[in-house]
Each structure stands twice: as structure tokens, then as C-alpha cells.
């Protein structure tokens, strides 16, 4: 376990800001204690500092997880957000999209979202913007990237893709082994 | 035919004096009953004998209860939703459910469902956990408080862990451990799905945890067991358990329970409690284990804090346990419609370990933290490398390695050719003066002798 290097921090924050913009600082300055990001086995964990100190006494090979896992660095030093970060992305999300009940299940199986399944979308979403996906009951389902801007969405036919799938909570079942 | 014979025998046994055939002993009836039950319910004889001695009157009820599955139960994740909202959402999906009973405010029992309960969007969003009703009990008994430091020693798949975290409202610290790495991964998934942020997950062997950290306010040990309480879930148990398996389980449980007690901090302001539970009905894995711990550590039994269930056995066959053993609780499939379960709550009243107060100084430090033995060793090994750097030839090393006090003359001799750095000369000798590293010294002596 170690703090992120400067370069890692940059890559990581760049990725994170695609979804929550400048709200990152809300993650770091919290009224209920100081939180920090730590790297362990290529994964980035967001954790209360007290808990981090205690977790440090667990030897590295035996430590599986602490706090919340945000994602991992790939072998090429890119950062991939995991669905486990959703709890922190959803409340701070800048751009959101709501899915109709019929499209919900499709998205949870890892499919992209088509125009026909689109319930609502934040105004002025630019193309290729990181976006959080909700059900109509306001339950966060995952996140992805807007394939079309809000303007373009209005005029496309129902079968075009509007959101590219990146992660969804269905992965808790499909992909449990890969989360750690 | 066997069934009618079982009924007849039971009928006779219920009033043996009047109903038995003259000249036929009780033993014969019992033997007959045992073999019949073994064939009818397909158990092995060893297990059946144990069960009959546990349930002399209700044996058939117990065996029948093992043939039917327990109801599916779910636990609301109070961190994300409320039970009423969850129930409504699930009813809308075509699930037929009810509150589990008066004793739990978060449990729901599911009668039937049109959708797979383990894959609804609500499940994936972490609004509930599929969890046997009986596994609520040890957590309720543990009664975790906000802000405490708690250890869950055998956590997988995380049902109890997430319940503890929910009761702590995500404050304090929770350490979830499971010896099996693959199963511990399920804990990671469940903890993240349920939105729990105060948890550290590790895969130590439970018996080694006291070496890693101590000073927990509360410890939950849901020990690995033979599974004789959950035969309805895993019928294999009926035939593949024998005496050796039970003994093996019991032995491991004793070791784990002592480790759990050692992890706990008796001086904790709010806690100092250890809860031990198994999904077994065997006395060997339950009361016997607790009795063992009572004799070896400074712990006492306290009320489990559960207002139903049957009392544990204070006496059983050849066993004579601590009279407080009736404070433990047992749960049976046929009486409570829960899995067979055992819960005991212990209060630790002193951090001293009887019989080894002087041996282990770290046991007295009731603080959480690192007690890496290797840390001290590292320092020494550093010194050693330093020494090997300063030493130029093996001959000099030997002369230096000899203890200073015994033959100062020799030391002086060896010191004189090494004029370059007389100050450093002392440094490498330090570990010997302290005499902390007998292994190293032994190595030196060996060389000495060989020469």
C-alpha cells in the first residue's frame, strides 16, 4: 500500500473528473474526517485515514481490500474505474441519464443504451462525456460515456446507441472475481 | 413399511412400561429405531446415534425438518433503504413476502417469487442481502456499537459482516477475515455492493490474527463446522461425517476461539465481547468448545441477548460443563424454523492469559497495531549486513565475533590490525552484547569450533 505518485494522481483525477468534474475536491475535503487515496496491488482505494493506518498493519499479500475500491491501473498505466466507485460517483455526477424500465435489464447485462431505452438525460450533455446511468426510480445502475450529445439525441432514430456501457452493477454477479 | 415400524416403536417407547412386548428390552427397541431411521432418512449410523442422544423425543421432527428447505430470507440494508420501501419495491416485481418475525426489524421472509431474488436491480444496488434467518442471530447477539473496532474472523460470504457494518452505520472499523481467498472475494463484492466503507478485508488463517493485530472491542467468530444444523441445505452431511470429522472441527474451533479471545481487548470501554456461533447442533462443536475456552482464558459467559431459542446444555452425557452454559442459545429447524444454530456470548475480563503472564509481553498491550515480530528481526539483520561490510576477511570476522567480555585480550589483538575504523568496530558487536540473537551467535561458535 502506498500513496499515488504524481503521475498516477494526474491520470486518476483526469479520469475521475470526466464523471464528477471539480467535485473531486468534495471527496478530499470532507467534514467527517480526512480521507485519502491509496494504491494497493494496482488498485486505488478511497479510505478514511484512520482505517488506512490500521489496514497498513495487514501484510500486503493478505490484504484484499480496504475502504472503497475506485478502480485499477492497467498494465499500460491507464486508469479504469470499477463499478465499486459508483457510490461516490453517483451523488456528485454532473451528467446523468435515466433509463426506462424496459432498458434497465439490458444495461445490467452489459449492453449499450439505445435511444429507445432512454428515459431522460441531463440538458447540454456534450458528446463523449462521462455519464452516470440511473433507473427511473433514481437507483444508480452504472456509468458510461455519452455517444451522442443531448441535441443529437433528440433527432436520431430509436435504434442508435446513445450511451456506451462502461460499468454496471450487474458486474457484482457476472464479474465478482475481478473486482479485487 | 419402515415408516409404520418407526411409528410403532416410537409409540411403544413413549410409554415403555405398559406397551412393550414382554421379554423385549428397551435396548432392542432403540436399536431397531436407529437402524430404521438410518435407512428411511439415509443417514450414517454415527450421526444418527449422536442426533438421537441430542433429541431423544423429537428425533423424527428434527429429521423431517431436515427434509424440507428453510424459507428464503433477506435482510434489508439499512444503509441504503428502509424495509418498508424495499418490501414495496419487491412486491411490485411479483415477490410474495412478509416480515420475518418480531425479533428482527430488518428481515423479510420470501414465500415465492417470479424473479430470481439474487439478480433483481434492487439486489444489485445493494438494497438487500440474501441471508439465512439464523445468521442474523450472532450479529444481534454481538450488538455492535457505532465507532467501535470489530473483527469478523470467518466472514465469507459477508452476510454477517455487512449486517455488522450496517448496525455500526459505517462508522468505526470493521475487519473481515476469511482464510479462503476465493471465498473472501465474495466478501469484497458484497461489501462494495452494500455500500460499506469502513471495512478491511484480509485472508489470514484465523489462528494467526492475534500476531497481526489485537485490541478489538468485539469479535465475532462464526466458526467453520460440520454443518449438522444445515442438513436441509447440504444433505451430503448425512453420510459423510464421522467421529474424526467432528473431532477435527472441534479442535480447529477451539484454536480459533482462543485466537478470537486473544484479539479482544478486555479494557474496551464499550465492549470486550466475543460471540461464538456455529451452524452445528453437536455438543462437541459448541458447549465443549466454550467450556474449553472458559478454562483457558479469562472470559465468562454472559447472556446471549436473544430472547428466544433453547438454552445450551450444562450437562450432556459424559460432559459436565460450566453451569453458566445455559446462557448460550441453541436454535433448531423443527422448533424455530431456522437452521440449526448455536450462539454463545463471552465477556473478557482480563487481558492476561492464564499460565503465560510473563511469557508474552505483547499480550498485555491492549492496543490495536502492528506487532510484527519481524520488525525487531529486521533491525538485527541490518546490523549483520553492516558488519559483513566492515569485515574484510573471515579470520577477522571470527575474532570479532567472539564475545568481548570473556577474552578482552583477544579482542584487542583483533582490534589492532583493524585500525582503519576503530569506532565502527564496536557497532557490529552490539547485537552480541545484548545477547538477543542466539541463532547468530550459534553460527559463530560453530565456525569457531570447526577451526
Amino acid at each position: 500500500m502506498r500513496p499515488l505518485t504524481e503521475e498516477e494522481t494526474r491520470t486518476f483525477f483526469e479520469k475521475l473528473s470526466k464523471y464528477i468534474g471539480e467535485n473531486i475536491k468534495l471527496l478530499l475535503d470532507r467534514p467527517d474526517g480526512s480521507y485519502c487515496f491509496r494504491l494497493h496491488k494496482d488498485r486505488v482505494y478511497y479510505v478514511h485515514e484512520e482505517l488506512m493506518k490500521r489496514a497498513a498493519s495487514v501484510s500486503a499479500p493478505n490484504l484484499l481490500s480496504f475502504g472503497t475500491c475506485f478502480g485499477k491501473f492497467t498494465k499500460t498505466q491507464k486508469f479504469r474505474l470499477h463499478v465499486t466507485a459508483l457510490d461516490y460517483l453517483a451523488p456528485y455526477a454532473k451528467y446523468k441519464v435515466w433509463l426506462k424500465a424496459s432498458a434497465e435489464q439490458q444495461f445490467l447485462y452489459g449492453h449499450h443504451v439505445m435511444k429507445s431505452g432512454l428515459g431522460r438525460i441531463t440538458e447540454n450533455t456534450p458528446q463523449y462525456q462521462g455519464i452516470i446511468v440511473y433507473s427511473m426510480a433514481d437507483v444508480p445502475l452504472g456509468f458510461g460515456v455519452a455517444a451522442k450529445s443531448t441535441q443529437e439525441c433528440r433527432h436520431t432514430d430509436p435504434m442508435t446507441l446513445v450511451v456506451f456501457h462502461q460499468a454496471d452493477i450487474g458486474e457484482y454477479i457476472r464479474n465478482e472475481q475481478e473486482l479485487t | 413399511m419402515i415408516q409404520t415400524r418407526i411409528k410403532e416403536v416410537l409409540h411403544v417407547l413413549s410409554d415403555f412400561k405398559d406397551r412393550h412386548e414382554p421379554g423385549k428390552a428397551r435396548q432392542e427397541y432403540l436399536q431397531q429405531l436407529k437402524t430404521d431411521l438410518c435407512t428411511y432418512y439415509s443417514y450414517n449410523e454415527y450421526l444418527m446415534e449422536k442426533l438421537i442422544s441430542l433429541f431423544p423425543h423429537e428425533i423424527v421432527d428434527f429429521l423431517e425438518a431436515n427434509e424440507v428447505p428453510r424459507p428464503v430470507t433477506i435482510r434489508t440494508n439499512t444503509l441504503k433503504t428502509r424495509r418498508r420501501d424495499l418490501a414495496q419495491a419487491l412486491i411490485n416485481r411479483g415477490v410474495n413476502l412478509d416480515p420475518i418475525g418480531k425479533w428482527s426489524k430488518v428481515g423479510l421472509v420470501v414465500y415465492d417469487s417470479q424473479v430470481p431474488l439474487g439478480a433483481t436491480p434492487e439486489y444489485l444496488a445493494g438494497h438487500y442481502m440474501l441471508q439465512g434467518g439464523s445468521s442474523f442471530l450472532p450479529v444481534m447477539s454481538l450488538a455492535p456499537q457505532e465507532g467501535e473496532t470489530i473483527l469478523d474472523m470467518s466472514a465469507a460470504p459477508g452476510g454477517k459482516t455487512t449486517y455488522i457494518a450496517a448496525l455500526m452505520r459505517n462508522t468505526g472499523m470493521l475487519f473481515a477475515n476469511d482464510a479462503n481467498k476465493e471465498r473472501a472475494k465474495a466478501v469484497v463484492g458484497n461489501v462494495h455492493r452494500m455500500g460499506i466503507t469502513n471495512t478491511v478485508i484480509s485472508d489470514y488463517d484465523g489462528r494467526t490474527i492475534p500476531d497481526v493485530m489485537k485490541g478489538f472491542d468485539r469479535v465475532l467468530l462464526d466458526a467453520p463446522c460440520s454443518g449438522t444444523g444445515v442438513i436441509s441445505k447440504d444433505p451430503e452431511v448425512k453420510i459423510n461425517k464421522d467421529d474424526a470429522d467432528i473431532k477435527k472441527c472441534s479442535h480447529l474451533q477451539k484454536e480459533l476461539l482462543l485466537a478470537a479471545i486473544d484479539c479482544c481487548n478486555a479494557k474496551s470501554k464499550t465492549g470486550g465481547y466475543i460471540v461464538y456461533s456455529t451452524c452445528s447442533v453437536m455438543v462437541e462443536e459448541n458447549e465443549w468448545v466454550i467450556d474449553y475456552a472458559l478454562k483457558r482464558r479469562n472470559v465468562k459467559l454472559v447472556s446471549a441477548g436473544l430472547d428466544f431459542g433453547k438454552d445450551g446444555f450444562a450437562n450432556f452425557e459424559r460432559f459436565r460443563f460450566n453451569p453458566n452454559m445455559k446462557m448460550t442459545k441453541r436454535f433448531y429447524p423443527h422448533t424455530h424454523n431456522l437452521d440449526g444454530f448455536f450462539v454463545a456470548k463471552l465477556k473478557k475480563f482480563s487481558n492476561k492469559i492464564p499460565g503465560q503472564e510473563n511469557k508474552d509481553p505483547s499480550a498485555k498491550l491492549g492496543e490495536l497495531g502492528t506487532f510484527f515480530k519481524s520488525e525487531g528481526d529486521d533491525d538485527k539483520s541490518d546490523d549483520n549486513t553492516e558488519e559483513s561490510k566492515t569485515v574484510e576477511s573471515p579470520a577477522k570476522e571470527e575474532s570479532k565475533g567472539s564475545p568481548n567480555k570473556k577474552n578482552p585480550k583477544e579482542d584487542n589483538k583483533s582490534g589492532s590490525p583493524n585500525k582503519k575504523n576503530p569506532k565502527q568496530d564496536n557497532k557490529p558487536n552490539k547485537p552480541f552484547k545484548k545477547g538477543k540473537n542466539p541463532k547468530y551467535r550459534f553460527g559463530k561458535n560453530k565456525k569457531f569450533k570447526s577451526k
Side-chain angles (χ1 to χ4, degrees):
Chain A
M1 189 202 307
R2 63 168 172 84
L4 280 71
T5 62
E6 212 162 283
E7 193 171 344
E8 283 163 348
T9 315
R10 195 164 352 101
T11 341
F12 172 55
F13 279 7
E14 239 166 53
K15 184 66 147 205
L16 210 53
S17 64
K18 284 183 181 152
Y19 299 87
I20 59 176
E22 62 273 26
N23 286 339
I24 293 177
K25 63 174 181 287
L26 293 177
L27 285 178
L28 292 168
D29 307 328
R30 283 172 56 151
D32 55 339
S34 50
Y35 281 70
C36 59
F37 290 101
R38 279 292 179 275
L39 189 79
H40 174 66
K41 289 183 190 166
D42 284 338
R43 278 163 174 73
V44 174
Y45 293 90
Y46 177 65
V47 62
H48 195 283
E49 271 192 1
E50 286 295 307
L51 190 64
M52 181 271 291
K53 281 176 194 158
R54 300 289 162 90
S57 60
V58 178
S59 71
N62 291 108
L63 184 61
L64 293 179
S65 156
F66 55 101
T68 308
C69 178
F70 262 55
K72 69 165 186 183
F73 281 100
T74 60
K75 297 275 190 288
T76 49
Q77 288 304 304
K78 293 193 177 70
F79 188 78
R80 271 193 78 158
L81 274 172
H82 282 172
V83 67
T84 46
L86 187 64
D87 273 338
Y88 286 104
L89 297 183
Y92 303 119
K94 306 208 67 157
Y95 297 95
K96 302 175 182 181
V97 56
W98 286 263
L99 299 190
K100 288 176 186 161
S102 52
E104 217 175 83
Q105 207 67 26
Q106 282 297 308
F107 181 74
L108 290 181
Y109 282 108
H111 297 289
H112 303 303
V113 180
M114 286 190 290
K115 166 85 187 296
S116 57
L118 196 67
R120 248 179 339 140
I121 186 166
T122 314
E123 281 293 314
N124 301 324
T125 310
Q127 201 176 14
Y128 306 133
Q129 166 69 42
I131 196 168
I132 311 290
V133 181
Y134 286 79
S135 73
M136 283 316 257
D138 264 338
V139 177
L141 300 176
F143 49 87
V145 163
K148 297 262 187 287
S149 69
T150 311
Q151 286 302 324
E152 287 171 313
C153 278
R154 294 212 173 103
H155 306 296
T156 52
D157 63 291
M159 295 310 281
T160 34
L161 297 177
V162 290
V163 179
F164 295 129
H165 165 276
Q166 281 185 331
D168 67 87
I169 50 177
E171 284 174 37
Y172 283 119
I173 297 181
R174 295 202 305 276
N175 211 6
E176 194 177 60
Q177 295 299 310
E178 301 301 313
L179 288 173
T180 44
Chain B
M1 196 194 88
I2 293 176
Q3 199 184 7
T4 47
R5 195 161 63 198
I6 293 172
K7 270 185 189 162
E8 272 170 30
V9 173
L10 280 172
H11 178 71
V12 172
L13 283 173
S14 63
D15 190 359
F16 185 76
K17 219 175 182 181
D18 296 338
R19 291 176 186 160
H20 75 285
E21 278 176 47
K24 204 170 175 187
R26 182 186 282 268
Q27 276 306 322
E28 284 172 59
Y29 278 105
L30 284 174
Q31 189 57 42
Q32 178 73 53
L33 179 67
K34 195 168 86 184
T35 41
D36 283 350
L37 287 173
C38 280
T39 22
Y40 188 68
Y41 293 101
S42 61
Y43 283 73
N44 70 10
E45 218 163 275
Y46 168 76
L47 189 61
M48 185 56 77
E49 203 176 297
K50 287 276 175 196
L51 291 175
I52 289 181
S53 65
L54 268 172
F55 309 106
H57 304 297
E58 319 146 285
I59 180 70
V60 174
D61 296 336
F62 177 79
L63 297 175
E64 279 296 334
N66 280 340
E67 299 301 309
V68 287
R70 300 276 80 74
V72 178
T73 49
I74 60 178
R75 178 179 58 78
T76 321
N77 183 11
T78 46
L79 295 173
K80 292 211 172 189
T81 184
R82 283 177 302 181
R83 183 163 76 169
R84 201 180 340 138
D85 299 341
L86 175 68
Q88 198 54 52
L90 288 178
I91 287 167
N92 290 342
R93 292 199 186 273
V95 181
N96 189 359
L97 45 72
D98 250 341
I100 196 168
K102 272 184 212 157
W103 52 272
S104 174
K105 283 185 177 161
V106 290
L108 289 164
V109 54
V110 177
Y111 299 116
D112 62 287
S113 168
Q114 294 166 8
V115 287
L117 270 175
T120 64
E122 281 79 15
Y123 176 82
L124 294 172
H127 288 187
Y128 65 90
M129 181 89 191
L130 275 169
Q131 188 174 9
S134 56
S135 70
F136 289 41
L137 302 168
V139 181
M140 290 165 63
S141 178
L142 188 71
Q145 309 291 315
E146 290 182 23
E148 284 186 328
T149 309
I150 296 182
L151 169 67
D152 184 355
M153 264 184 120
S154 31
K160 296 180 195 75
T161 313
T162 49
Y163 190 16
I164 294 173
L167 288 177
M168 291 163 79
R169 303 222 61 86
N170 247 339
T171 61
M173 289 174 222
L174 176 59
F175 285 78
N177 181 74
D178 199 279
N180 184 334
K181 194 163 200 154
E182 290 311 305
R183 275 165 61 79
K185 281 183 179 172
V187 186
V188 179
N190 279 322
V191 159
H192 280 97
R193 185 170 60 80
M194 307 292 266
I196 287 156
T197 56
N198 66 344
T199 306
V200 176
I201 300 157
S202 59
D203 67 340
Y204 281 107
D205 182 332
R207 290 167 289 189
T208 63
I209 291 184
D211 298 335
V212 181
M213 58 184 102
K214 291 180 175 186
F216 292 97
D217 293 316
R218 284 162 206 264
V219 181
L220 173 64
L221 171 60
D222 183 39
C225 66
S226 61
T228 46
V230 286
I231 294 174
S232 59
K233 255 190 217 164
D234 178 20
E236 289 276 292
V237 175
K238 285 179 183 179
I239 41 169
N240 66 8
K241 289 284 179 261
D242 61 15
D243 194 38
D245 290 318
I246 305 284
K247 289 269 159 59
K248 219 182 279 171
C249 275
S250 182
H251 180 71
L252 177 64
Q253 286 158 349
K254 284 172 185 172
E255 287 181 311
L256 284 172
L257 182 55
L258 290 195
I261 293 171
D262 290 344
C263 286
C264 187
N265 178 16
K267 296 197 182 87
S268 158
K269 277 174 193 149
T270 50
Y273 293 103
I274 300 108
V275 168
Y276 173 85
S277 66
T278 62
C279 56
S280 167
V281 292
M282 294 290 171
V283 171
E284 284 88 342
E285 295 180 69
N286 298 328
E287 283 89 348
W288 199 28
V289 176
I290 298 291
D291 199 58
Y292 176 82
L294 288 174
K295 284 173 188 157
R296 301 295 161 105
R297 291 290 184 273
N298 287 323
V299 287
K300 62 180 182 205
L301 272 165
V302 291
S303 165
L306 302 165
D307 51 6
F308 66 115
K310 298 205 165 162
D311 295 344
F313 295 105
N315 297 313
F316 184 78
E317 290 185 340
R318 66 202 160 90
F319 298 111
R320 293 292 171 270
F321 298 125
N322 189 310
N324 284 336
M325 202 59 78
K326 56 183 184 299
M327 286 185 183
T328 62
K329 289 285 176 196
R330 288 176 154 263
F331 300 87
Y332 297 132
H334 55 287
T335 43
H336 307 100
N337 202 11
L338 296 167
D339 291 324
F341 219 74
F342 174 82
V343 180
K345 189 173 186 178
L346 298 163
K347 168 99 174 104
K348 190 173 177 183
F349 56 83
S350 164
N351 277 335
K352 284 178 188 153
I353 300 173
Q356 45 176 287
E357 277 95 344
N358 301 325
K359 283 179 196 167
D360 189 6
S362 67
K364 285 176 190 167
L365 296 173
E367 280 168 23
L368 194 94
T370 52
F371 292 111
F372 280 125
K373 285 176 186 167
S374 59
E375 217 168 71
D377 292 341
D378 281 347
D379 291 347
K380 282 167 206 161
S381 62
D382 281 346
D383 282 353
N384 291 346
T385 51
E386 222 171 274
E387 184 183 41
S388 60
K389 274 176 202 166
T390 54
V391 167
E392 281 143 7
S393 69
K396 280 172 197 166
E397 190 187 13
E398 268 175 30
S399 53
K400 244 195 267 171
S402 63
N404 287 342
K405 291 169 192 170
K406 282 179 184 173
N407 39 6
K409 273 187 184 176
E410 203 183 308
D411 196 47
N412 283 341
K413 278 178 194 170
S414 73
S416 53
N418 206 0
K419 272 176 186 170
K420 278 178 191 171
N421 42 6
K423 273 186 185 176
Q424 277 186 17
D425 208 356
N426 282 337
K427 212 178 175 185
N429 277 334
K430 265 186 183 171
F432 295 108
K433 276 181 185 169
K434 283 178 188 166
K436 265 187 187 173
N437 204 343
K439 223 184 201 175
Y440 189 70
R441 187 183 266 178
F442 178 71
K444 281 285 140 65
N445 289 342
K446 221 174 168 184
K447 267 186 187 173
F448 229 72
K449 276 175 192 169
S450 68
K451 215 187 171 184

